[in-house]
Amino acid sequence: MLRIRPDIASIRPYVPGRHIDEVAREIGMRPDEIVKLASNESPEGPFPGVVEAVAVLTESNRYPDNDFHHLRRVVSGAIEVPPDHLWFGNGSVSLLSHLALTIGGPGSTAVYAWPSFVMYRIVSRWAMSEPVEVPLADGFVHDLDALRGAIRDDTSVVYLANPNNPTGTLVAAAAINEFIDSVPEEVLIVVDEAYHHFVDDMSYATAIPQALARPNVVVLRTFSKVYALAAHRVGFGIAQPGTISELMKSQAPFSVSQVAQVAAAASLGNPDELARRVAANAAGRLRMLGVLTERDIQHADSQTNFVYCKLGPDSAAAAAAFTNRGVIIRPMSGGWVRVTIGTEAENQRFVAVLDEVVPNL
């Protein structure tokens, strides 16, 4: 019998949204008949120009650029931060694991809201830190006072998903800045902005200025959502160079493929396409929230590319009822599910199944 670390053995593994082909085989439908609304992926393919740009497979015998020279310049120009304040990795989850390993360790605690991104719990366990989970406040938003109160002498990191996953809710910029000001300087604050582009609430603002000004703040972004590169796993962080140099000590070299780097760079510099996709998501989200309101289904007020709603007492049963009808949604807990905003046709398919199955749940 292998000697597995007890804290690792106790982890409930991350469960991704089910793959379309897997569900198609299981329920006897064609893959093109399945609608996947479970993983917060873009319903559209890569941005224009990406497919043409990634003709770098001819160089697959060479290691990728470990300094991210081209991608670094492009991202720096796009978000207006100095190049040396950027940290790249194999998706933002990979960056979360590296900073948890660097900052955490036995005898440390990691503080975050719950429910929030489940990987905060998992990377904390990987790092041998104790997770400290703080319940959300009314309205499914971060309780910043409670989070502040949960910080102890042994706390090494606080995670803030803004907007939050899976609820889709956000905290206003003024409150985030006040919270950051109140946290001890030796505690790392990670502001996870994976859904930044989808927000249209005027009270929101990125925490990048705080990351540029303070050595204990890191902002995370991803190319997996609005830029439709989930399969390529590219994420980046914004922080002070000294902070980045320390966090990189737990990161393996050549962590992002050359294809992924080129695809990410090619996705930027197209503001009209970005605006079109953001607008399409906002319209779909508004219609979806309207449907839930009309049917008196409890839900959170989303500012992301998904909605969070309660479909009865059993999350797994609700998700299974949808899956059996060819619509994949994400079960959470306590009857709550998360549904990604798809194309107009995909959203209509969800609503049709919703009306069919909810009376039976």
Side-chain angles (χ1 to χ4, degrees):
M1 197 74 175
L2 294 175
R3 294 193 182 111
I4 306 296
R5 269 174 46 191
D7 56 333
I8 295 295
S10 69
I11 291 175
R12 181 179 178 182
Y14 179 83
V15 180
R18 297 187 64 188
H19 196 276
I20 287 174
D21 290 343
E22 175 193 358
V23 171
R25 289 191 298 268
E26 179 180 298
I27 66 175
M29 296 177 70
R30 298 193 313 271
D32 62 0
E33 296 177 302
I34 306 295
V35 172
K36 184 181 180 186
L37 303 176
S39 298
N40 299 342
E41 301 151 329
S42 170
E44 303 187 57
F47 271 50
V50 170
V51 174
E52 295 79 4
V54 296
V56 294
L57 285 175
T58 55
E59 304 170 12
S60 61
N61 56 311
R62 304 296 182 189
Y63 286 112
D65 177 9
N66 200 50
D67 190 48
F68 302 90
H69 177 74
H70 178 58
L71 180 57
R72 187 182 301 278
R73 285 192 301 113
V74 174
V75 173
S76 172
I79 65 172
E80 299 181 340
V81 296
D84 61 348
H85 286 65
L86 294 170
W87 176 36
F88 295 93
N90 185 29
S92 57
V93 168
S94 174
L95 298 180
L96 283 170
S97 69
H98 298 316
L99 64 87
L101 289 168
T102 305
I103 296 293
S108 68
T109 59
V111 174
Y112 51 89
W114 194 257
S116 191
F117 188 28
V118 70
M119 289 306 301
Y120 304 150
R121 173 189 288 171
I122 293 175
V123 299
S124 299
R125 290 295 189 190
W126 289 348
M128 302 180 75
S129 297
E130 176 191 346
V132 177
E133 299 179 345
V134 178
L136 295 174
D138 292 343
F140 309 98
V141 299
H142 282 67
D143 187 336
L144 295 183
D145 289 337
L147 284 167
R148 189 182 294 108
I151 295 173
R152 311 187 316 212
D153 290 343
D154 59 2
T155 299
S156 60
V157 61
V158 177
Y159 299 104
L160 297 173
N162 200 36
N164 189 40
N165 176 16
T167 62
T169 53
L170 59 77
V171 179
I176 289 286
N177 291 337
E178 182 181 344
F179 176 81
I180 291 173
D181 289 343
S182 71
V183 173
E185 293 182 355
E186 65 271 18
V187 177
L188 183 68
I189 305 165
V190 180
V191 185
D192 188 345
E193 296 183 351
Y195 301 95
H196 161 81
H197 292 94
F198 301 111
V199 178
D200 54 21
D201 187 318
M202 296 301 293
S203 72
Y204 169 85
T206 177
I208 287 177
Q210 293 277 18
L212 297 178
R214 296 171 178 266
N216 69 324
V217 178
V218 177
V219 169
L220 296 182
R221 295 278 184 87
T222 179
F223 283 91
S224 295
K225 308 305 178 187
V226 75
Y227 288 111
L229 295 179
H232 291 287
R233 314 305 302 131
V234 191
F236 64 96
I238 301 98
Q240 290 192 354
T243 301
I244 292 172
S245 66
E246 292 300 321
L247 296 175
M248 287 182 63
K249 291 179 179 178
S250 63
Q251 184 177 24
F254 311 117
S255 57
V256 181
S257 75
Q258 200 65 31
V259 170
Q261 291 187 39
V262 171
S267 299
L268 299 173
N270 196 333
D272 291 341
E273 178 65 11
L274 176 62
R276 184 192 69 77
R277 295 190 182 207
V278 168
N281 176 82
R285 179 180 67 208
L286 183 63
R287 285 193 292 271
M288 192 79 80
L289 291 173
V291 164
L292 297 173
T293 300
E294 290 169 2
R295 287 153 178 77
D296 199 27
I297 295 173
Q298 189 178 2
H299 62 278
D301 185 14
S302 175
Q303 285 287 312
T304 58
N305 68 335
F306 57 85
V307 295
Y308 182 69
C309 58
K310 189 168 186 177
L311 299 182
D314 188 336
S315 307
F322 276 81
T323 300
N324 290 337
R325 291 161 176 82
V327 177
I328 310 170
I329 62 174
R330 187 65 173 269
M332 304 309 294
S333 62
W336 291 86
V337 300
R338 194 189 66 195
V339 184
T340 303
I341 305 302
T343 63
E344 184 174 353
E346 290 172 338
N347 296 338
Q348 290 174 350
R349 177 84 173 278
F350 167 80
V351 174
V353 174
L354 179 75
D355 289 337
E356 180 182 349
V357 305
V358 164
N360 300 318
L361 293 176

